[in-house]
Amino acid sequence: MNLFLSLPQKDSLSIELNQTQRFGLQDSSVYLNYTRPMQGGAANIELGYTPEAEFLFKRMYGVGWNGVIGGGYGYILAYRQRSYRDTLSDSMNLTLEKYFSDYRIAYTNTISSIDKSQTEQSHRLQLQWIGEANNRLGFTYASGNEPVYLGPSSLTAAHVSTVQMDAVWWVKDIGISAAIWRVVQGSFYERTGAQLGLRLAF
């Protein structure tokens, strides 16, 4: 469940509550994202917390900057740290994006580390159509090495590839969101999923 609030001075706050089940275990988590528009872009801060943390992170925090270059070009710089029961995962992202007509294309390079030592790199390519009333259709492909948390004392790196399609369609103040994806995470597991959501604006 996600609540998106528009605040004074065009600031925004997103609050997300999740309940996730995996391999017979269950985690409940809360996530906050605060964004403030500024000259030349927007800054954001994100926080996440999982009380029990069976397989999700215990704590997460991140900072980012979404900058405008001009001519439809932009960039995003972001840093995020996830702390598990006995280990850390850090990641730094650089995204370059271009808007043209009703489309957005973006490339993201992510450098991550495990316990500030083992370094990995991954890549992501996104193509989005953004229509009137903020209707959207997107395609994402990602590939590279990423930290994978397998349990206590088991944060390791694996080659991960992801393909995803997602869409949002608005009818007045009611939006329908949908997504399908497939993730291959090394030799550990493959995951195919779908999502259907309802959005209400008020």
Side-chain angles (χ1 to χ4, degrees):
M1 183 174 66
N2 183 283
L3 179 63
F4 182 84
L5 302 173
S6 296
L7 304 176
Q9 299 180 347
K10 297 184 178 181
D11 293 10
S12 63
L13 176 66
S14 177
I15 304 171
E16 184 176 307
L17 303 176
N18 289 293
Q19 187 173 78
T20 308
Q21 291 181 324
R22 185 179 301 171
F23 306 132
L25 302 175
Q26 180 174 288
D27 272 342
S28 298
S29 61
V30 59
Y31 170 80
L32 304 176
N33 188 308
Y34 172 75
T35 301
R36 162 160 283 194
M38 303 173 70
Q39 185 175 1
N44 78 284
I45 298 173
E46 55 180 352
L47 300 171
Y49 179 66
T50 307
E52 300 300 327
E54 295 288 348
F55 55 89
L56 294 179
F57 54 80
K58 181 71 174 180
R59 295 178 180 84
M60 183 274 289
Y61 72 87
V63 292
W65 172 257
N66 192 331
V68 177
I69 299 174
Y73 289 93
Y75 66 95
I76 302 172
L77 295 172
Y79 167 79
R80 176 182 288 176
Q81 183 180 91
R82 296 182 180 95
S83 60
Y84 298 88
R85 290 184 176 181
D86 49 10
T87 190
L88 288 175
S89 170
D90 294 271
S91 65
M92 295 185 65
N93 298 339
L94 169 61
T95 298
L96 300 176
E97 58 184 0
K98 166 67 174 176
Y99 290 86
F100 55 97
S101 184
D102 294 336
Y103 297 92
R104 171 186 180 263
I105 187 169
Y107 164 76
T108 300
N109 180 266
T110 300
I111 297 177
S112 56
S113 66
I114 299 174
D115 288 333
K116 300 188 180 298
S117 57
Q118 184 177 346
T119 302
E120 306 294 341
Q121 186 171 201
S122 63
H123 311 271
R124 182 179 66 196
L125 183 65
Q126 293 175 291
L127 177 63
Q128 287 181 303
W129 169 79
I130 306 172
E132 296 182 2
N134 206 27
N135 296 324
R136 295 171 180 252
L137 177 64
F139 172 80
T140 300
Y141 173 75
S143 179
N145 293 331
E146 300 178 6
V148 178
Y149 186 69
L150 302 176
S153 302
S154 296
L155 184 65
T156 186
H159 183 81
V160 180
S161 60
T162 304
V163 176
Q164 177 174 311
M165 291 191 67
D166 51 77
V168 178
W169 189 265
W170 288 92
V171 179
K172 295 184 178 180
D173 293 334
I174 299 177
I176 304 296
S177 63
I180 56 174
W181 62 84
R182 178 160 177 81
V183 180
V184 179
Q185 202 152 26
S187 59
F188 301 113
Y189 63 84
E190 301 178 9
R191 184 171 71 247
T192 301
Q195 181 187 62
L196 184 64
L198 180 67
R199 301 186 181 191
L200 304 176
F202 55 91

